[in-house]
Amino acid sequence: MKITNKMFAECFGTFVLVLGGCGTALFGHVGFLGVAVAFGLTVIAMAYGIGHVSGAHLNPAVSFGVFINGRMNFTEMLLYWISQIVGAIIAGAVLYGVWNAAGMGATGVFAANGYGEAFQTAAGDGYMNLSAGGAFAVEAVLTFVFLMVILGATDERSNPKAAGLAIGLTLTLIHLISIPLTNTSVNPARSISQAIFSNCDTWSACSQLWLFIVAPLVGACVAGLFYKVVAPEKK
């Protein structure tokens, strides 16, 4: 498959992920459970819709983990990152446009990720006051878990027909655990797209954005290396 096809697929897939998951968080009125399910469903849909084109990474951390594991080269990873971030930002812009069209006023937290007392106060009921260290650990560990499942489910020794379902359900579980803690990132592109359009007087998503880029990449890196130890390729 040509790299341009893969880039378009990743851009489109990440667009759908952010539109579906963050859109549900912003407009769905379905609670944390509903948002978690929405993110899982979008991944399942894209896994079966575009997985045969690009692998449906939809996430720079996923591409990084796959690169570290030796399943893609550095240039391809960078092109995936660009496509994913562009797709996520386009989806954020669409959500921002809908927000304004509905006359909802300032975007506030929007669907951005965050931590600490200021984020807890700005985000409202149900969110916990988590330290920066705690937020980093949560995002890194859960991204590690996510990548371990992805690498295992897409291993040629595994059952490829079940991969999309396994990955989507894992992302749902991850959101159930961490929405009250960080609003769940495990995806730098998703975090970037929402931080850009947030507008809160008492808290800044952009000032905390670094954590939701670095922590998922760290977790993905560890998973990419660890999977080589857990499931070494046959020589």
Side-chain angles (χ1 to χ4, degrees), residues 86-109:
V86 169
I89 292 175
I90 293 172
V94 170
L95 294 174
Y96 179 72
V98 173
W99 183 282
N100 286 331
M104 299 178 72
T107 53
V109 172

Side-chain angles (χ1 to χ4, degrees), residues 3 7 10 57 59-68 72-84 217:
I3 187 61
M7 290 177 68
E10 285 297 307
H57 293 187
N59 180 340
V62 172
S63 298
F64 187 52
V66 171
F67 163 72
I68 293 295
M72 72 186 308
N73 62 54
F74 183 74
T75 300
E76 189 174 30
M77 181 194 71
L78 289 181
L79 293 174
Y80 269 47
W81 281 8
I82 293 169
S83 304
Q84 292 154 358
L217 293 178

Side-chain angles (χ1 to χ4, degrees), residues 17 39-40 42-44 56-63 65-66 138-154 163-175 184-188 216 219-220 223-224 227:
L17 173 69
F39 272 101
T42 57
V43 166
I44 292 172
H57 293 187
L58 320 180
N59 180 340
V62 172
S63 298
V66 171
V138 166
E139 290 292 329
V141 169
L142 291 181
T143 307
F144 169 82
V145 171
F146 192 37
L147 262 294
M148 287 297 290
V149 172
I150 290 171
L151 293 172
T154 58
L165 187 60
I167 294 167
L169 290 176
T170 302
L171 188 61
T172 299
L173 174 62
I174 285 171
H175 277 77
T184 310
S185 173
V186 301
N187 185 337
Y227 190 79

Side-chain angles (χ1 to χ4, degrees), residues 4 7 17 40 42 64 78 113 129 132 136 153 160 176 185 198 206 223:
T4 51
M7 290 177 68
L17 173 69
T42 57
F64 187 52
L78 289 181
N113 302 109
N129 181 4
F136 194 100
L176 289 174
S185 173
S198 66
C206 291

Side-chain angles (χ1 to χ4, degrees), residues 13-26 34-35 37-39 42 91 95:
T14 311
F15 169 84
V16 174
L17 173 69
V18 173
L19 189 72
C22 295
T24 300
L26 291 171
V35 174
V37 171
F39 272 101
T42 57
L95 294 174

Side-chain angles (χ1 to χ4, degrees), residues 156-226:
E156 61 182 10
R157 295 163 290 182
S158 185
N159 180 5
K161 293 181 180 179
L165 187 60
I167 294 167
L169 290 176
T170 302
L171 188 61
T172 299
L173 174 62
I174 285 171
H175 277 77
L176 289 174
I177 295 169
S178 59
I179 289 177
L181 301 174
T182 63
N183 217 17
T184 310
S185 173
V186 301
N187 185 337
R190 170 256 189 272
S191 297
I192 291 169
S193 74
Q194 301 305 292
I196 290 173
F197 297 101
S198 66
N199 180 18
C200 185
D201 294 334
T202 59
W203 168 80
S204 171
C206 291
S207 67
Q208 296 182 342
L209 181 59
W210 69 270
L211 187 146
F212 300 102
I213 296 174
V214 176
L217 293 178
V218 169
C221 180
V222 175
L225 295 172
F226 188 62

